[in-house]
Amino acid sequence: MPNTPDPAEPRTRPWVWAVYVVLFALSVPWYLPAGGPVRLWLGLPHWVVLSLAAYLAVAVFTVYVVARHWSAAPDAGEPDDPEGPP
Amino acid sequence: MNVSLALGAGVAVGIYLAMLVGVGYATRRRSAGAGLGEFYLAGRNLGGFVLLLTLYATQYSGNTLLGYPGEAFRLGYAWVMSVGFMMAIIVVYLVFAPRLQAVARRHAFVTPGDWITHRFGSAPLTLLANVLLVVAISNYLLAQLMAMGHVTEGLSGGAVPYWVGVVLLTLVVIVYETVGGMRAVAWTDCVQGIMLLVGLAGLLLAVVPTPAHLAELTAAVAAADPEKVAVPGWDVSRNWFSTILLIGFSGAVYPHAIQRIYAARDAATLKRAFSVMVFLPLVTTGVMFMVGILAIGELPAGGDADQVMPALLTAWSTRSALLFGLCVMVITAVVAAVMSTADSVLLSLSSILAKDIVGATLLRGASEERLTRAGKRLSWAVVAVLVVIALSPRVTLWGLTEIKMEILAQVAPLFVLGVTWRRLTTSAALGGMLAGCATYAGLLLAGRPEVWDVHAGIVALGVNVAVCAGVTRLRPQPARLAAHPGRARAASARAG
């Protein structure tokens, strides 16, 4: 049987999704004491800056994932399609 | 709103509307007598620039510019979640869009239902999914029509009544949409997307968010309403996670967004569009979030959430000539945002009704040209009904958005699991969607739109996915069927 590797797609990389789970978890301030003291960072409550930083990290990481883990071959094949190219 | 601002905005919006109709007519020749792929997907040849701007203009709507500042005004700094849930849509796309785009190209898909039929080969499943999609996006279109009325009434200070805004702007949209199809919609989306970006840049200048200014603002909000600045409690955090999941999964399966994945010229084009799109929440919902926070300091508490933006623009426009100009720009951008979403949703609705509903029943076997003509007539009929409903609004814009999202979430497994999990069976997908819908309806009827601060739609999605997993494991299909149930079933029907 010929060994046809899966075309590169983000969904085939479990670690990519683990990173996304961590970043989105960090974006929600569940880990800070509710109603605790609020410090101002750049004029905003510190937990808002942490959240925005996590979202910026999501965006930058997505650019990396799209560039490095999504093959844009014109016709990468369809493993679940018996009529598709190998 | 003062008279000069209303006049300035009226002139700018008038020029803008004339430009839209002009762009629509410029695309008329290519769309005349077109088939479904040409009319609804612009010949599946959207390039990077147009694809990015049409995705952007479509995804950010009247809800974003009118509803979101209102939510920040009501909820406080926790509305920073709006940046995250808009990013989540792009992240969910990464799960299924690469494969979906390749398959859609090979099999010339036009509607979301084409993928469902291809993957699952079940007419009842495709029909149920289409009913949910039609209900959800009709709701979405209704929200846009209502936003048209709010925009014209609020931004003209009541000089242009709500009903005139609804009827006039809807008429412009339906004209260029039926004349030029997706090509007209995509090119007008480019104009609208640029207007939106320019307007938001203007708003950012108007807001002047220097750290010193922000510190003053935060201190003022904390003094007026400490809850809006404090670290949120577990209840808000649970709701925040729930909203990221809800908007992430349901926003990714908007039929009009799925059709833009089909319409992309190639995978490289889609990659470029997503790489830019993922940053746009920071400069779009992020700006709207700041506008809503500013409103807490400037407007009296307890005001109408949908009128926060018009009230702020009215206040800012009187301060300087520069701010007046920026406010005119923002008003045009607001109109652009509402119309660009309305045209895309209407086109998508028309394609589903024409190809998957009428084309599978009354006009079975009809030519593509005939189905396209039927789709155009259906657009006018749908719009007429929705305009009548929009003229008697009873719920807020955000309220409409949430209902639509929770319905759409029940269709998400057909795309997310359908692409990623080869063993998912047709009966499991159908059972999951039915169980999800029943759970959502049951919770709503029981007066529980949220369970432990988690949206009923997300609880229902959990049930939906659990049923998908359970039924697939209990009643797996034979290997050949599991490899490609839709095609295997069609082959066996032909053999029989």
Side-chain angles (χ1 to χ4, degrees):
Chain A
M1 178 181 246
N3 182 19
T4 52
D6 265 358
E9 277 187 48
R11 71 184 172 91
T12 63
R13 309 279 192 274
W15 67 269
V16 164
W17 304 103
V19 171
Y20 276 126
V21 167
V22 169
L23 291 176
F24 276 109
L26 287 174
S27 77
V28 182
W30 56 273
Y31 50 87
L32 297 172
V38 172
R39 279 156 287 158
L40 292 189
W41 291 353
L42 301 169
L44 292 169
H46 67 293
W47 57 272
V48 174
V49 176
L50 288 173
S51 182
L52 285 170
Y55 291 138
L56 182 62
V58 167
V60 172
F61 181 63
T62 299
V63 172
Y64 163 77
V65 169
V66 167
R68 300 296 297 272
H69 298 287
W70 177 355
S71 163
D75 201 351
E78 188 185 348
D80 58 347
D81 183 351
E83 291 176 10
Chain B
M1 178 170 286
N2 60 63
V3 176
S4 57
L5 180 62
L7 200 63
V11 171
V13 170
I15 293 169
Y16 166 71
L17 293 181
M19 193 162 53
L20 290 185
V21 175
V23 171
Y25 266 91
T27 59
R28 186 182 188 184
R29 192 180 295 273
R30 302 268 318 251
S31 297
L36 294 167
E38 175 62 34
F39 186 77
Y40 288 115
L41 299 179
R44 301 182 181 83
N45 196 30
L46 289 186
F49 176 75
V50 180
L51 183 67
L52 171 66
L53 285 175
T54 187
L55 270 171
Y56 175 62
T58 297
Q59 207 122 51
Y60 295 90
S61 61
N63 297 324
T64 317
L65 273 76
L66 292 173
Y68 286 21
E71 280 302 302
F73 178 74
R74 192 180 62 79
L75 194 65
Y77 283 85
W79 191 243
V80 69
M81 73 172 76
S82 62
V83 176
F85 64 61
M86 292 307 288
M87 276 188 191
I89 296 174
I90 305 295
V91 174
V92 174
Y93 277 146
L94 294 186
V95 180
F96 70 87
R99 174 56 38 86
L100 183 64
Q101 197 257 348
V103 180
R105 221 172 165 72
R106 187 169 306 127
H107 298 284
F109 293 166
V110 174
T111 62
D114 287 340
W115 156 256
I116 299 167
T117 301
H118 172 85
R119 170 64 177 80
F120 298 101
S122 161
L125 180 63
T126 304
L127 179 66
L128 179 60
N130 273 325
V131 167
L132 293 180
L133 292 175
V134 166
V135 168
I137 63 174
S138 298
N139 184 327
Y140 196 23
L141 184 54
L142 176 61
Q144 302 314 306
L145 302 191
M146 287 171 58
M148 290 174 183
H150 283 304
V151 167
T152 44
E153 186 183 38
L155 300 179
S156 69
V160 181
Y162 174 88
W163 73 268
V164 173
V166 173
V167 173
L168 176 70
L169 299 188
T170 303
L171 202 58
V172 172
V173 165
I174 188 89
V175 164
Y176 70 69
E177 191 241 89
T178 47
V179 163
M182 170 69 105
R183 216 173 279 283
V185 167
W187 278 103
T188 52
D189 278 353
C190 285
V191 177
Q192 290 154 342
I194 291 168
M195 287 302 310
L196 193 53
L197 281 172
V198 171
L200 287 171
L203 205 57
L204 206 58
L205 287 174
V207 169
V208 202
T210 63
H213 183 220
L214 286 177
E216 260 179 53
L217 173 67
T218 306
V221 175
D225 195 344
E227 282 274 303
K228 289 180 175 167
V229 178
V231 179
W234 254 101
D235 53 341
V236 175
S237 292
R238 282 194 301 271
N239 194 258
W240 190 325
F241 279 121
S242 174
T243 310
I244 287 175
L245 290 172
L246 179 66
I247 307 287
F249 281 105
S250 49
V253 296
Y254 275 143
H256 46 287
I258 296 272
Q259 287 180 302
R260 276 156 180 73
I261 292 172
Y262 294 174
R265 182 178 293 156
D266 51 31
T269 305
L270 202 56
K271 284 177 63 173
R272 282 195 296 276
F274 284 170
S275 294
V276 179
M277 274 286 287
V278 76
F279 284 94
L280 295 181
L282 289 164
V283 294
T284 309
T285 47
V287 171
M288 291 301 118
F289 157 69
M290 283 314 305
V291 168
I293 296 295
L294 272 174
I296 300 173
E298 300 210 12
L299 303 178
D304 179 359
D306 286 343
Q307 292 298 328
V308 163
M309 186 73 159
L312 271 184
L313 290 175
T314 302
W316 290 342
S317 66
T318 55
R319 291 184 192 166
S320 71
L322 176 65
L323 273 176
F324 175 86
L326 289 174
C327 286
V328 168
M329 201 187 297
V330 170
I331 291 169
T332 317
V334 171
V335 175
V338 176
M339 294 179 72
S340 60
T341 303
D343 62 15
S344 305
V345 175
L346 179 60
L347 190 69
S348 193
L349 193 56
S350 157
S351 69
I352 294 172
L353 291 174
K355 184 173 187 294
D356 293 351
I357 310 264
V358 176
T361 51
L362 296 173
L363 293 181
R364 184 189 289 271
S367 69
E368 290 207 355
E369 286 73 15
R370 191 167 174 211
L371 289 178
T372 305
R373 283 197 302 275
K376 291 179 184 180
R377 291 191 193 108
L378 283 166
S379 294
W380 283 83
V382 165
V383 156
V385 171
L386 291 180
V387 163
V388 170
I389 299 173
L391 293 179
S392 54
R394 288 191 179 85
V395 285
T396 67
L397 291 179
W398 179 245
L400 275 180
T401 304
E402 281 200 304
I403 295 167
K404 170 253 302 178
M405 287 300 190
E406 304 200 40
I407 296 171
L408 275 177
Q410 307 317 314
V411 183
L414 301 183
F415 290 87
V416 178
L417 293 181
V419 164
T420 56
W421 194 21
R422 239 180 270 186
R423 297 174 66 83
L424 176 67
T425 64
T426 301
S427 54
L430 181 58
M433 199 158 60
L434 286 170
C437 292
T439 305
Y440 178 54
L443 286 170
L444 279 194
L445 289 173
R448 301 289 303 275
E450 289 182 357
V451 179
W452 206 49
D453 303 303
V454 174
H455 296 87
I458 287 298
V459 175
L461 178 61
V463 172
N464 185 336
V465 170
V467 170
C468 283
V471 173
T472 297
R473 292 206 183 279
L474 288 173
R475 296 182 54 200
Q477 283 177 342
R480 177 164 159 63
L481 282 176
H484 210 292
R487 177 161 302 130
R489 185 161 300 121
S492 102
R494 278 199 299 274

